[in-house]
Amino acid sequence: MGRSRKFTDDQLLDAARDMVATHGPGATVAQVSTASGAPTGSIYHRFRSRDELLVRLWLRSIERLHDRLLQVGDEHDDPTEALVALAVETARYCREHPAEARAMTLYRQESLSQTAPEELRERVAHLNDRALAMFGRLGARRFPASADDPRLVELVFTCVVGLCYGLIRPYVVAGTPIPPWLDEVIARACAAALTVGDI
Amino acid sequence: MGRSRKFTDDQLLDAARDMVATHGPGATVAQVSTASGAPTGSIYHRFRSRDELLVRLWLRSIERLHDRLLQVGDEHDDPTEALVALAVETARYCREHPAEARAMTLYRQESLSQTAPEELRERVAHLNDRALAMFGRLGARRFPASADDPRLVELVFTCVVGLCYGLIRPYVVAGTPIPPWLDEVIARACAAALTVGDI
DNA sequence: CAATAACTAGAACGACTACTCTAAATCAAG
DNA sequence: CTTGATTTAGAGTAGTCGTTCTAGTTATTG
């Protein structure tokens, strides 16, 4: 075999996450190096480029959020309740894991699916598949009349994730705690936004 | 006097705005130079630093939005209607002026009031005064019972501007048009979010 | 016309960053 | 123990960007 690893991939990603949380999206490889204790050579031995490191971090942070959301989605019988609960849960998760939440702001899927390192394009493209399927199911039950409309998923996604994320984003980026009263705002706004589908 | 100016400040700011719209917040002085036709020396003759150029651009874009909002705020008798109209108007303005809207995402006031070039701190600090006063007045009429609560302005500001801006931001940053159906989502969500003050 | 102030013009500089390269350390297998 | 694959280690490289510097240009004023 060979020499055993002194740093796990997750250790390096954790360091990158913390540097992004403190220095923003312009965090440098040198900063990740000192934060993790690994020399730059080791980091480049593990990740082909800074881009790959940050994209992998972004993928990990969003997959972790989705893991949590997929659990919550099944805990409600009423689809509207489930959708509102998903919005509120997103806020809670980001409040509990501010650095992970900061990493989620690094990219947007639509642009990244074209610009990401070649070997990650596929993973980026299918990142939201699980979550979208869930939102599609809940949306179809919430709006039976539009169950076949392809725009339904975008609408639901916007009213739940987009709305919640937009409200908490300023706090996430600033690194300040998300105020608890925001959960109530999100719940009411989300429920009301979802009524547009009834038109 | 001396030689007359070949480039106005606004011309340089326009070029900076367009470069930020196409290249993001990392737009370089060299890009602004070629986009405007002005050599870097001229740009630095007018602005002390790249930071000052971008902060001035940011200030201008937000002041222009506020100019428009201040007009709209007076057109409604009912305070709730006025607040919802302000949220929708923000979306409309950003749809009509996508590059200006992109420039608004360059900074956040809270962090900038500490890190901006010294000579601009004052202007940054008081940037929102006019708008906040209006939101304060409308909020006091909407929630007479909490008229003296200092948290009221933050609540109203979040439910109107924060909510709207969070929903449209993805489109603004991506440079894709803001879909028209979003206006209805914003209106309903904003009205519902404002009901939290009634607790 | 001469003097001067204000600006244009762009080459040059220094700092920083992503990335590479070579050498050494470490561990499993024969 | 020796071999060889794998990783650590960090000095070195090329390129980019913000900024500065010096020279030259244009208009206004007396």
Side-chain angles (χ1 to χ4, degrees):
Chain A
M1 298 293 266
R3 177 172 178 174
S4 61
R5 295 185 159 176
K6 191 169 173 184
F7 311 94
T8 66
D9 283 7
D10 270 328
Q11 267 179 291
L12 299 181
L13 289 176
D14 286 347
R17 176 198 61 197
D18 295 342
M19 290 305 96
V20 167
T22 55
H23 296 99
T28 67
V29 176
Q31 289 166 347
V32 176
S33 167
T34 59
S36 64
T40 61
S42 295
I43 295 174
Y44 277 95
H45 183 77
R46 223 63 83 64
F47 303 93
R48 272 202 247 279
S49 65
R50 172 182 181 274
D51 239 37
E52 186 186 315
L53 172 69
L54 291 185
V55 170
R56 287 208 126 94
L57 166 64
W58 179 79
L59 284 165
R60 189 185 74 164
S61 67
I62 295 199
E63 279 167 358
R64 287 179 174 179
L65 169 64
H66 285 177
D67 288 344
R68 174 118 154 214
L69 292 185
L70 286 171
Q71 294 178 344
V72 175
D74 292 328
E75 293 173 3
H76 296 79
D77 293 328
D78 180 59
T80 307
E81 274 179 32
L83 288 168
V84 172
L86 286 170
V88 175
E89 191 61 28
T90 300
R92 288 218 188 97
Y93 182 83
C94 292
R95 180 157 40 222
E96 288 171 24
H97 305 94
E100 294 277 332
R102 184 73 174 94
M104 294 182 211
T105 68
L106 278 173
Y107 304 100
R108 300 227 114 237
Q109 196 204 16
E110 309 89 59
S111 45
L112 201 59
S113 54
Q114 295 165 7
T115 59
E118 182 55 35
E119 69 267 25
L120 293 176
R121 300 256 174 96
E122 196 74 5
R123 209 174 138 198
V124 169
H126 292 94
L127 174 66
N128 289 338
D129 286 0
R130 288 184 303 160
L132 283 179
M134 176 175 66
F135 282 111
R137 285 195 304 272
L138 291 170
R141 285 173 55 206
R142 172 67 177 78
F143 305 106
S146 313
D148 296 330
D149 194 328
R151 296 169 305 176
L152 182 62
V153 181
E154 185 186 2
L155 176 73
V156 172
F157 202 72
T158 299
C159 293
V160 176
V161 180
L163 187 146
C164 167
Y165 204 64
L167 280 171
I168 64 177
R169 199 196 133 92
Y171 302 96
V172 170
V173 173
T176 55
I178 299 170
W181 55 263
L182 207 58
D183 294 10
E184 188 64 30
V185 173
I186 290 168
R188 296 192 185 212
C190 177
L194 284 170
T195 63
V196 292
D198 292 325
I199 298 174
Chain B
M1 300 291 265
R3 177 173 178 173
S4 61
R5 295 185 160 177
K6 191 170 174 184
F7 311 93
T8 66
D9 283 7
D10 271 328
Q11 268 179 291
L12 299 181
L13 289 176
D14 286 347
R17 177 198 60 197
D18 295 341
M19 289 305 97
V20 166
T22 54
H23 296 98
T28 68
V29 176
Q31 289 166 346
V32 176
S33 167
T34 58
S36 64
T40 61
S42 295
I43 295 174
Y44 276 93
H45 184 77
R46 224 60 85 62
F47 303 93
R48 272 202 248 280
S49 65
R50 173 182 181 274
D51 239 38
E52 186 186 314
L53 172 69
L54 291 184
V55 170
R56 287 209 127 95
L57 166 63
W58 178 80
L59 285 165
R60 189 186 73 163
S61 67
I62 295 198
E63 279 167 358
R64 286 179 174 179
L65 168 64
H66 285 177
D67 288 345
R68 174 119 155 214
L69 292 185
L70 286 170
Q71 294 177 343
V72 174
D74 291 328
E75 293 174 3
H76 295 79
D77 293 329
D78 180 59
T80 307
E81 274 180 32
L83 288 169
V84 172
L86 286 170
V88 175
E89 192 60 29
T90 301
R92 288 217 187 96
Y93 182 83
C94 292
R95 178 157 41 222
E96 288 170 25
H97 305 94
E100 293 278 331
R102 184 73 174 94
M104 295 183 211
T105 68
L106 278 173
Y107 305 100
R108 300 228 113 236
Q109 196 204 17
E110 309 88 58
S111 45
L112 201 59
S113 55
Q114 296 165 7
T115 59
E118 182 56 34
E119 69 266 25
L120 293 176
R121 299 257 174 95
E122 196 75 5
R123 210 175 137 197
V124 170
H126 292 94
L127 174 66
N128 289 338
D129 285 1
R130 289 184 304 160
L132 283 179
M134 176 175 66
F135 282 112
R137 285 194 303 273
L138 291 170
R141 285 173 54 205
R142 172 66 177 81
F143 304 106
S146 313
D148 297 330
D149 194 328
R151 296 170 305 175
L152 182 62
V153 181
E154 185 187 2
L155 176 73
V156 172
F157 202 72
T158 298
C159 293
V160 177
V161 179
L163 187 145
C164 167
Y165 204 65
L167 280 170
I168 63 178
R169 197 195 135 93
Y171 301 97
V172 170
V173 173
T176 55
I178 300 170
W181 54 263
L182 206 58
D183 293 11
E184 188 64 31
V185 173
I186 291 169
R188 296 191 185 212
C190 176
L194 284 170
T195 62
V196 293
D198 292 325
I199 300 174

